[in-house]
Amino acid sequence: MVETVKKAKILTEALPYIQRFSGKIVVVKYGGSAMTNPELQRQVICDLALMKQVGMLPVVVHGGGKAISGWMEKLGMEPKFHNGLRITDAPAMELTEMVLAGKVNKELVQLFVQSGTKSVGLSGKDAGLLLAEKKQIKGVDLGFVGTVKTVNIEVVKLLLDQGYLPVIAPIGADVDGNSLNLNADEAASAIACALGAEKLVFLTDVDGVLQDPEDPSTLCSSLNRKDALAGMEEGWISGGMIPKIQMCLQALEQGVGQVHMLNGTWDHALLLEIFTDQGIGTMIKEDK
Amino acid sequence: MVETVKKAKILTEALPYIQRFSGKIVVVKYGGSAMTNPELQRQVICDLALMKQVGMLPVVVHGGGKAISGWMEKLGMEPKFHNGLRITDAPAMELTEMVLAGKVNKELVQLFVQSGTKSVGLSGKDAGLLLAEKKQIKGVDLGFVGTVKTVNIEVVKLLLDQGYLPVIAPIGADVDGNSLNLNADEAASAIACALGAEKLVFLTDVDGVLQDPEDPSTLCSSLNRKDALAGMEEGWISGGMIPKIQMCLQALEQGVGQVHMLNGTWDHALLLEIFTDQGIGTMIKEDK
Amino acid sequence: MVETVKKAKILTEALPYIQRFSGKIVVVKYGGSAMTNPELQRQVICDLALMKQVGMLPVVVHGGGKAISGWMEKLGMEPKFHNGLRITDAPAMELTEMVLAGKVNKELVQLFVQSGTKSVGLSGKDAGLLLAEKKQIKGVDLGFVGTVKTVNIEVVKLLLDQGYLPVIAPIGADVDGNSLNLNADEAASAIACALGAEKLVFLTDVDGVLQDPEDPSTLCSSLNRKDALAGMEEGWISGGMIPKIQMCLQALEQGVGQVHMLNGTWDHALLLEIFTDQGIGTMIKEDK
Amino acid sequence: MVETVKKAKILTEALPYIQRFSGKIVVVKYGGSAMTNPELQRQVICDLALMKQVGMLPVVVHGGGKAISGWMEKLGMEPKFHNGLRITDAPAMELTEMVLAGKVNKELVQLFVQSGTKSVGLSGKDAGLLLAEKKQIKGVDLGFVGTVKTVNIEVVKLLLDQGYLPVIAPIGADVDGNSLNLNADEAASAIACALGAEKLVFLTDVDGVLQDPEDPSTLCSSLNRKDALAGMEEGWISGGMIPKIQMCLQALEQGVGQVHMLNGTWDHALLLEIFTDQGIGTMIKEDK
Amino acid sequence: MVETVKKAKILTEALPYIQRFSGKIVVVKYGGSAMTNPELQRQVICDLALMKQVGMLPVVVHGGGKAISGWMEKLGMEPKFHNGLRITDAPAMELTEMVLAGKVNKELVQLFVQSGTKSVGLSGKDAGLLLAEKKQIKGVDLGFVGTVKTVNIEVVKLLLDQGYLPVIAPIGADVDGNSLNLNADEAASAIACALGAEKLVFLTDVDGVLQDPEDPSTLCSSLNRKDALAGMEEGWISGGMIPKIQMCLQALEQGVGQVHMLNGTWDHALLLEIFTDQGIGTMIKEDK
Amino acid sequence: MVETVKKAKILTEALPYIQRFSGKIVVVKYGGSAMTNPELQRQVICDLALMKQVGMLPVVVHGGGKAISGWMEKLGMEPKFHNGLRITDAPAMELTEMVLAGKVNKELVQLFVQSGTKSVGLSGKDAGLLLAEKKQIKGVDLGFVGTVKTVNIEVVKLLLDQGYLPVIAPIGADVDGNSLNLNADEAASAIACALGAEKLVFLTDVDGVLQDPEDPSTLCSSLNRKDALAGMEEGWISGGMIPKIQMCLQALEQGVGQVHMLNGTWDHALLLEIFTDQGIGTMIKEDK
């Protein structure tokens, strides 16, 4: 009984956090280990179901690189990359779409439905959600790799209004109807901007922004635009972190309230970030 | 950090309970020690605010006997009772209404508002909510003590629909406009019936129904109609418990889903009853 | 029969006035003799019920000074004033709230309900309607006397939309939840501004603005801002009338259409002011 | 001033009548002298505008026999009747429709609009409101005289919902699109039934049902079904009154609350019938 | 069967045109031979019914000059004109209104209803749609000829929203309630402006704007503001075409998307103009 | 021009058919050659887009057997069948879901979107649309082949209400979340029943029901329940046609208006069936 009362106390302690974000849209880019480790996946689904139930409006944009690579292997196709971008020829594109929109997406939807959460899976083709164009990089033919041109957000708003949790596969189509493989971070960011989301959360395998990349204890729990620009100039934000930070700053500029980088290998990382004051990753926001 | 993860686990464990009662109306008769003890009161407010936030639709009907007695004393008026019913002459009625609708009701509303919960206080006079008539008992003039005749529930539904938590003082008016002092249990029950509430909870100072009144370990955690009728026939439900049980059975008959008797002196009694399987009081329901 | 036809003629003569104010919000500060004299009170209730029925949207903010003083006397508490402001210590505040929100407010609601008018009583605590702070006057501790800081008008709009006549007691709460005694004129004015009311009517015991305070025949039936400022400069608006006029001008500035000062001791004063061209009090409006 | 207060008293006396019929549909067959006498017409328009403004939902179905006859004369056409039914050949029908739908109907609408009342004129052709068929009488060819077959009430409900006063000309169309001349009493009755009107009022030139047709003092102010049937059997309801009474009884059967026969030559006859207890004509209703 | 498949192909070819104008308001001034020739009329009704069914929102404003002249003749009244404007004395006005609002308007409505299209006929008097004033021309008394002052478009919007096709007779009323005869082109233009229509179509007996009035092959299928102004300066737009073009330019200025001049003597002229790229008349639009 | 006028005539001839089915739900099972032949596919998409645009509410349930078989071949998996049912082991199920929900479904959605039709793709997992259970056949383990248990139609209704064309892949999930391969005919039928569809159309490679299976000229263009039962008894309905007919009869029983069997290899088969009187396949309906 004492145990149960303790639980009740904890529930009521969450009240102010629940009230603060009630009715707010939270777009979560869901990828990395939190997707491939079943226990972590169970926790993410559970955390998002709870966020939905207590009144937040989560939207999930998922990756699926490992599943794609697995299927390419089965088919004897060789994954090729250029600077981290998957070179996607026509057969690879066909497979990528099948895996993302037909397998990963529907598995996630099914997990939500079984957790008692009304959920609908979409690809960027549905209702013309993500109109894209081929990504042009000098000297390399990336194939069917795209970048988002226009977001037609109507169907996502409709589903949110009616109590559904939308789960979105990062597949776009160009004006001729060709499928294009989109970067999930970019798709999530574009959708968060189109929704004017309160929060955009990148659930990945890194802790966030470290002042000294070698030392986890130097994690910045909060970073505003000025800090971020300084970090890039001073060099402690470098390498692959630079385009990520630039995407975050762009999202802030286009009306997203805050952007979070979060290590999904932590238990209940999402809930901790939302329901505690300090959080566990890096929150990036505009200068006051 | 370990502590925080544990909290997150507990939050997610509450999910099925939250989902089960989401959108359901819960009428709580709030009285006894849970009202006079400030710490218990803080917990009740907090529990109800949480229930509201996670999607339930609580309605509070409050008592206030101690506060009335206190003010009568200040004014040199002597409380008089007949079989537990407060004999209420005209000056006592005027004071009773002021204390219940002007003091106790507004204090509760204020506590909800400060907890971030939209709340409106009503007496049974507002919008003609509780039309009553004088209670007739042979040989005794109870004065302005009433019994509910008609419930005009429209305003309560309106407030629930618009996200408010209604707090109701058990004051009625007869057709001539005279104020009448109502029994809070009866008022709560009438309101729960008019709303077709999922749950009606009596938060009082007793544990529930005991098979042996001397032995708290004989608490019935669940009781259906057949059991209750048997208990009254066999005599282990007796005395003041009989009219309470009859009111419960009548509420079930008129469409209330379940009735709970709950000891409000337990910490977070409300939350424990709603968010755990066994609960801590007695739940009365129809035979299957 | 001739008499009845005459009545029909009179009804149809009211048509243009009814049409002019149909759907318009009219906030009435209700105080003075019109509140304590039963026959005048009956007329005010009746006038407001009619205004409601023919399509206007009246909101009542009531006083209750006499009732408060009466109860203080019963309790042996001595009313203390400073420049017309009631000094309100903690026990006086508790009593004031009980009398205003528990007695006067509910009596008025009951009279409306019995006249066939859907009505709900509110205090400034309900739904956080009137957030206030202590009034600071140098050298005097007024106790729990407040001034309006923020109006959270949502619940009043909801009730008006749904056909209710809101009756409001001038009690506010500060951020810490302390009850504060508000000036009813100020509360009415703040509510009228928040609603963008067409009319704000002060129903008091004075005729309106007199050019010669000694001579009732010098009543100004209409006054615009320029006139009012002139009156204060020239001195024929003086004394206690100055703050009243300043409040009126401020209300006009914040979007109220017209402000009326009206002697509630006249029979059907409200109806006469609304349903006749000249009216019987003083109407204050912006310069064209 | 005394006069004005008297007016206010009269206005408030009407309150209970206004409340009783607020939101109720009242279909008025408007014909006879009340239509041709300009002063009576002004009063009828005024009475209906007032009824609308105070919350009733009047619908007007008008006649226009005199205007039709006038135009036939101008064109050298000779009015022909058979048992009170106007024999209507093709040229007469064309003229009848022009006069009713193009002249009388629009004049009435214009009067309402000028009185500040939103009003739309319809003929039975608009939105297929009155589908009719030729009236068949053995041995006589009545020409384009019709009887109502189906009422498609949707457009009238829409206009009422949106605050318009519908004014309807009794012209129908058969399945082949031929215009048919309808009896205005019958059209009004059919529309009242389709609307489930609270009241159907025949505003004509007779006082109502008299027990002794020679003696106006024998007016029945109220008549239930049993009385009416008795009257026809006993013979004091006879002649042209019989089909009228039968139409009334049929309307009651099909859900109309009460039917009124009213002498429109009385000043403000409509208002008197609605806003006084006894009324001035005959009210026919079901047996209790 | 081959024939039927060809039909199906044609239907699907219309799809892009249907989609382009779905939900768009199209105001059609309907006059000339297309009104008096029964086969052309049948086609116009059919074309409009189809436009409605596939999602456009047509509004019809009709003329009726021939029908008026015919009736004047029957009554021995002599039509008089001044510069193409019908001089309208009181008896002529009475007749004009009866013919337009009572005969032509209702005939059109009936044709729509029989084609399965929900339709309601209005004159400019209904719901105060067209407030007009007498047209003043120096030295000539045109009688009851008016020009549009204010459009109260509410009722038309309501009917469009609810799926009705409004058919409007060009009759207005002045502030005193006098009927005024309006030019149908002007009424259609005023209504199109008030609705912010996508298209305003003048269905008349001329082909459109010709660069050489003698040579039909010089038809301008499209004309922007600059061209039109040039045409008037250069003289190839002249005579009666000048005020028409000025009205078109004014409509564009007030928010109408495009204005079409169309020869209604062509079979299915309306459908050809809307559902083909080049169209058959002249389309006038703003400079890009 | 003559050609264009002919087109206009054909468009207007379709009007009655369009009106008859406006607002009616039509569920189309889309499979067979009409899916694999690009030109036929283009026509089907076009026909459905037109049906949508003119006011019908089509819902597509698609098959995809050929695409599945193609991918199985690529992966060296051998298709196995039992009585026409595809035996589906775990790897086959994974592939089937990817092909149906990730490839075929999204391709169709994309074609609709490019045709200007708002469309969303769903699998039976989305929003718990198709709850299924394993199909039990004695002596054979069909693997993950399912049969529909419950249809949760809410999301489909929502999309139809908001103007979307839903495209549904016949994948279900059992209570444990396992994917199940559903028969597309059965899924279409279950969805049509849940929607109370006006029409259920099976677009396959057979002409419909033939009285003499050898002779195409014996096609039954219409069949009621009595005929169908007779056909099965008399033996001219036999073999694989029997379960199809039983499914049709069951759909009629559960509220579907009519069921159509249609040969999708005909050009514009869908449009011909809907927009002509006789149609080209077999229509099955209840006895009158």
Side-chain angles (χ1 to χ4, degrees), chain C residues 28-103:
Chain C
V28 177
K29 149 61 200 303
Y30 174 41
S33 308
M35 221 173 151
T36 47
N37 174 321
E39 173 53 22
L40 289 174
Q41 185 181 60
R42 205 195 52 75
Q43 288 181 20
V44 169
I45 298 295
C46 201
D47 289 5
L48 285 161
L50 185 69
M51 287 162 64
K52 178 96 201 161
Q53 182 60 41
V54 301
M56 287 176 227
L57 302 172
V59 175
V60 173
V61 180
H62 61 81
K66 285 218 173 149
I68 297 168
S69 298
W71 273 92
M72 289 187 80
E73 207 171 309
K74 284 193 202 179
L75 282 152
M77 292 157 78
E78 192 185 348
K80 275 171 277 181
F81 291 86
H82 172 82
N83 285 345
L85 294 165
R86 185 187 290 269
I87 298 178
T88 312
D89 57 13
M93 184 63 236
E94 196 175 353
L95 187 66
T96 297
E97 187 171 5
M98 280 165 56
V99 172
L100 288 181
K103 183 180 154 56

Side-chain angles (χ1 to χ4, degrees), chain D residues 98-231:
Chain D
M98 280 165 58
V99 172
L100 289 182
K103 184 181 153 57
V104 177
N105 187 271
K106 298 311 175 197
E107 273 172 14
L108 291 175
V109 165
Q110 181 60 28
L111 288 169
F112 281 117
V113 169
Q114 280 191 284
S115 81
T117 305
K118 296 195 324 182
S119 173
V120 168
L122 300 171
S123 96
K125 284 181 168 178
D126 288 297
L129 175 56
L130 296 171
L131 184 66
E133 60 189 355
K134 280 200 182 174
K135 190 165 248 164
Q136 303 296 348
I137 295 190
K138 253 189 205 156
V140 196
D141 179 5
L142 291 169
F144 293 90
V145 170
T147 182
V148 178
K149 247 179 84 184
T150 317
V151 181
N152 184 353
I153 205 66
E154 185 191 309
V155 74
V156 177
K157 279 189 178 157
L158 171 65
L159 292 171
L160 287 176
D161 275 357
Q162 298 294 318
Y164 292 92
L165 189 161
V167 177
I168 301 169
I171 298 293
D174 67 13
V175 282
D176 300 321
N178 297 308
S179 300
L180 294 175
N181 189 8
L182 303 175
N183 175 275
D185 286 4
E186 187 195 336
S189 181
I191 285 165
C193 292
L195 286 167
E198 181 71 13
K199 286 179 181 293
L200 165 61
V201 181
F202 293 108
L203 201 65
T204 56
D205 287 358
V206 296
D207 281 352
V209 177
L210 302 177
Q211 288 212 285
D212 173 354
E214 304 303 310
D215 178 1
S217 77
T218 64
L219 177 74
C220 303
S221 70
S222 171
L223 209 69
N224 60 20
R225 179 179 291 275
K226 226 175 63 185
D227 301 333
L229 294 174

Side-chain angles (χ1 to χ4, degrees), chain B residues 71 74-75 94-95 97-99 101-103 105-107 109-110 113-114 118-123 125-128 154-155 158-159 162 164 173-177, chain C residues 71 74-75 94-95 97-99 101-103 105-107 109-110 113-114 118-123 125-128 154-155 158-159 162 164 173-177:
Chain B
W71 273 92
K74 283 193 203 179
L75 282 152
E94 195 175 354
L95 187 67
E97 186 170 6
M98 280 166 57
V99 172
K103 183 182 153 56
N105 187 272
K106 297 312 173 195
E107 273 172 15
V109 165
Q110 182 58 29
V113 169
Q114 281 191 282
K118 296 195 324 182
S119 172
V120 168
L122 300 170
S123 97
K125 284 181 169 179
D126 288 296
E154 186 192 309
V155 73
L158 170 66
L159 292 171
Q162 298 295 319
Y164 292 91
D174 67 14
V175 283
D176 302 319
Chain C
W71 273 92
K74 284 193 202 179
L75 282 152
E94 196 175 353
L95 187 66
E97 187 171 5
M98 280 165 56
V99 172
K103 183 180 154 56
N105 187 271
K106 297 311 173 195
E107 273 172 15
V109 165
Q110 181 60 27
V113 169
Q114 280 190 284
K118 296 196 322 182
S119 172
V120 168
L122 300 171
S123 96
K125 284 180 168 178
D126 287 296
E154 186 191 308
V155 74
L158 170 65
L159 292 171
Q162 298 295 319
Y164 292 92
D174 67 15
V175 282
D176 301 320

Side-chain angles (χ1 to χ4, degrees), chain D residues 71 94 97-99 102-103 106 110 114 118-121 125-127 154-155 158 162 164 173 175-177, chain E residues 71 94 97-99 102-103 106 110 114 118-121 125-127 154-155 158 162 164 173 175-177:
Chain D
W71 273 92
E94 196 176 353
E97 187 171 6
M98 280 165 58
V99 172
K103 184 181 153 57
K106 298 311 175 197
Q110 181 60 28
Q114 280 191 284
K118 296 195 324 182
S119 173
V120 168
K125 284 181 168 178
D126 288 297
E154 185 191 309
V155 74
L158 171 65
Q162 298 294 318
Y164 292 92
V175 282
D176 300 321
Chain E
W71 273 90
E94 197 175 352
E97 188 170 4
M98 280 165 57
V99 172
K103 183 180 152 57
K106 297 312 173 196
Q110 182 58 28
Q114 280 191 284
K118 297 196 321 183
S119 172
V120 169
K125 284 181 169 177
D126 288 296
E154 187 192 308
V155 74
L158 170 66
Q162 298 295 318
Y164 292 91
V175 283
D176 300 321

Side-chain angles (χ1 to χ4, degrees), chain C residues 41-264:
Chain C
Q41 185 181 60
R42 205 195 52 75
Q43 288 181 20
V44 169
I45 298 295
C46 201
D47 289 5
L48 285 161
L50 185 69
M51 287 162 64
K52 178 96 201 161
Q53 182 60 41
V54 301
M56 287 176 227
L57 302 172
V59 175
V60 173
V61 180
H62 61 81
K66 285 218 173 149
I68 297 168
S69 298
W71 273 92
M72 289 187 80
E73 207 171 309
K74 284 193 202 179
L75 282 152
M77 292 157 78
E78 192 185 348
K80 275 171 277 181
F81 291 86
H82 172 82
N83 285 345
L85 294 165
R86 185 187 290 269
I87 298 178
T88 312
D89 57 13
M93 184 63 236
E94 196 175 353
L95 187 66
T96 297
E97 187 171 5
M98 280 165 56
V99 172
L100 288 181
K103 183 180 154 56
V104 177
N105 187 271
K106 297 311 173 195
E107 273 172 15
L108 291 174
V109 165
Q110 181 60 27
L111 288 168
F112 281 117
V113 169
Q114 280 190 284
S115 80
T117 305
K118 296 196 322 182
S119 172
V120 168
L122 300 171
S123 96
K125 284 180 168 178
D126 287 296
L129 174 56
L130 296 170
L131 184 65
E133 59 189 357
K134 280 198 182 174
K135 191 165 247 166
Q136 302 296 349
I137 295 189
K138 252 191 203 152
V140 195
D141 180 5
L142 291 169
F144 293 91
V145 170
T147 182
V148 177
K149 248 180 84 184
T150 318
V151 180
N152 184 353
I153 205 66
E154 186 191 308
V155 74
V156 177
K157 280 188 178 158
L158 170 65
L159 292 171
L160 286 176
D161 275 358
Q162 298 295 319
Y164 292 92
L165 190 161
V167 177
I168 301 169
I171 298 294
D174 67 15
V175 282
D176 301 320
N178 297 308
S179 301
L180 294 175
N181 189 9
L182 302 175
N183 175 276
D185 286 5
E186 188 197 336
S189 181
I191 285 165
C193 293
L195 287 167
E198 181 72 13
K199 286 181 182 293
L200 166 59
V201 181
F202 293 107
L203 200 67
T204 55
D205 286 359
V206 296
D207 283 350
V209 177
L210 302 177
Q211 287 211 287
D212 173 354
E214 304 304 309
D215 178 2
S217 76
T218 64
L219 177 75
C220 303
S221 69
S222 171
L223 210 69
N224 60 20
R225 179 179 292 275
K226 227 175 62 186
D227 301 333
L229 294 174
M232 290 189 282
E233 212 178 288
E234 294 166 11
W236 48 271
I237 294 177
S238 65
M241 192 53 92
I242 290 183
K244 278 178 189 290
I245 292 293
Q246 282 169 334
M247 188 180 290
C248 294
L249 295 178
Q250 197 185 359
L252 294 175
E253 207 173 289
Q254 291 177 28
V256 171
Q258 297 135 25
V259 186
H260 295 252
M261 287 189 178
L262 209 58
N263 190 335

Side-chain angles (χ1 to χ4, degrees), chain E residues 247-264:
Chain E
M247 188 181 289
C248 294
L249 295 178
Q250 198 183 358
L252 294 175
E253 207 173 289
Q254 290 177 30
V256 172
Q258 299 136 25
V259 187
H260 296 252
M261 289 190 175
L262 210 56
N263 190 335

Side-chain angles (χ1 to χ4, degrees), chain E residues 3 6 43 51 59 65 118 149 155 194 240 259 262 276 284:
Chain E
E3 191 56 25
K6 210 189 278 175
Q43 287 179 20
M51 286 162 66
V59 175
K118 297 196 321 183
K149 246 179 84 184
V155 74
V259 187
L262 210 56
T276 61
I284 299 144

